[in-house]
Amino acid sequence: MILDSFRLDGQAAVVTGAGRGLGAAIAVAFAEVGADVVIAARTADQLGTVAEQIRGVGGRAHVVAADLAHPADTAALAEQAVAAFGRLDIVVNNVGGAMPAPLLSTSTDALADAFSFNVLTAHALTTAAVPLMLAHSRGGAVINITSAVGRLAGRGFAAYGTAKAALAHYTRLCARDLSPRVRVNAIAPGAILTSSLDAVAANDDLRHSLEQATPLRRLGDPADVAAAAVYLASPAGGYLTGSVLEVDGGLIAPNMELPVPDL
């Protein structure tokens, strides 16, 4: 059965930024298809809620409350997966982000912070995880969460977009170095209805504007990204590495950018 190729039975995953939004949706989806999951984020209460959802679908959850802005803390999650579940098969580098700002208001420190939070954390966890994947499994899968803004140019996203573009190409380079035993792919979401878009969801006019600027005429749901993550992590996606799946409703231009005036 083709559906069997989407199963992750007996595998262990680490998902960063898993307290809410995309990370939470991915973690629960992994549990629904059989994986045990280490979930990590800063807020213990949110992680507790996600852990209950994982257990509710029959999975095992190991909770790590940590400030994942520090690459060393992110790297430590690999060993915790092996300690909790005896193996490590899948890593989802979802933690990241940066505040939008006009280019001339974006300091070099802000750019460096965005690169560290989005790229260095992913590199730290990936390089810590791969030796454990090879030691305890036949290989593994790494999934990096980038962004449509890493491909599309929108005003106000110099720091965030540059960091996400770097993460996308890091994915390709990493895939080349780690093949054939570890597959490395990425997902580039568009506008997804998580808490970061609460203001959009509450404003009918703004939401309609974004929907009309999206070829599929709707905003994304976290489940859209979670489904892509299951595909990339599972045997169903076993012939993909170095790929960036664009889960963005078909965007060819940003559907949202800061109202930065012309110079």
Side-chain angles (χ1 to χ4, degrees):
M1 294 290 291
I2 188 65
L3 289 179
D4 291 341
S5 68
F6 289 86
R7 298 291 306 179
L8 296 173
D9 297 298
Q11 297 194 38
V14 170
V15 181
T16 65
R20 59 182 181 175
L22 298 184
I26 291 168
V28 174
F30 281 177
E32 289 176 345
V33 293
D36 299 317
V37 193
V38 174
I39 52 174
R42 285 181 297 181
T43 307
D45 289 347
Q46 292 177 343
L47 290 171
T49 299
V50 177
E52 286 304 310
Q53 293 176 315
I54 289 171
R55 294 169 186 137
V57 298
R60 292 190 295 171
H62 179 70
V63 172
V64 180
D67 184 356
L68 300 180
H70 303 294
D73 292 336
T74 310
L77 296 174
E79 289 281 3
Q80 295 201 43
V82 174
F85 303 126
R87 60 188 293 157
L88 176 58
D89 305 274
I90 303 159
V91 163
V92 179
N93 289 306
N94 171 63
V95 70
M99 291 299 294
L103 178 68
L104 297 183
S105 300
T106 301
S107 67
T108 55
D109 285 344
L111 195 60
D113 288 346
F115 189 85
S116 178
F117 195 28
N118 291 274
V119 182
L120 299 190
T121 54
H123 180 66
L125 178 52
T126 299
T127 53
V130 167
L132 299 176
M133 289 176 172
L134 298 179
H136 297 278
S137 306
R138 289 178 296 175
V142 176
I143 302 169
N144 298 319
I145 306 300
T146 65
S147 171
V149 182
R151 175 176 62 92
L152 305 172
R155 286 187 172 182
F157 295 107
Y160 181 67
T162 298
K164 289 301 190 183
L167 184 59
H169 196 52
Y170 172 83
T171 297
R172 301 180 188 101
L173 297 169
C174 194
R176 188 71 181 93
D177 275 9
L178 299 180
S179 62
R181 293 184 64 187
V182 176
R183 298 183 299 108
V184 187
N185 294 289
I187 301 170
I192 309 294
L193 284 169
T194 64
S195 58
S196 63
L197 288 186
D198 281 348
V200 171
N203 185 318
D204 290 341
D205 290 339
L206 181 56
R207 177 168 176 159
H208 180 72
S209 174
L210 266 64
E211 290 171 340
Q212 290 305 299
T214 305
L216 288 185
R217 300 294 188 265
R218 71 173 177 89
L219 301 182
D221 186 273
D224 295 318
V225 177
V230 168
Y231 171 61
L232 290 176
S234 69
Y239 202 50
L240 277 77
T241 196
S243 296
V244 179
L245 294 188
E246 295 165 2
V247 184
D248 59 14
L251 292 178
I252 57 174
N255 58 0
M256 178 173 57
E257 56 186 355
L258 288 188
V260 177
D262 292 345
L263 296 178

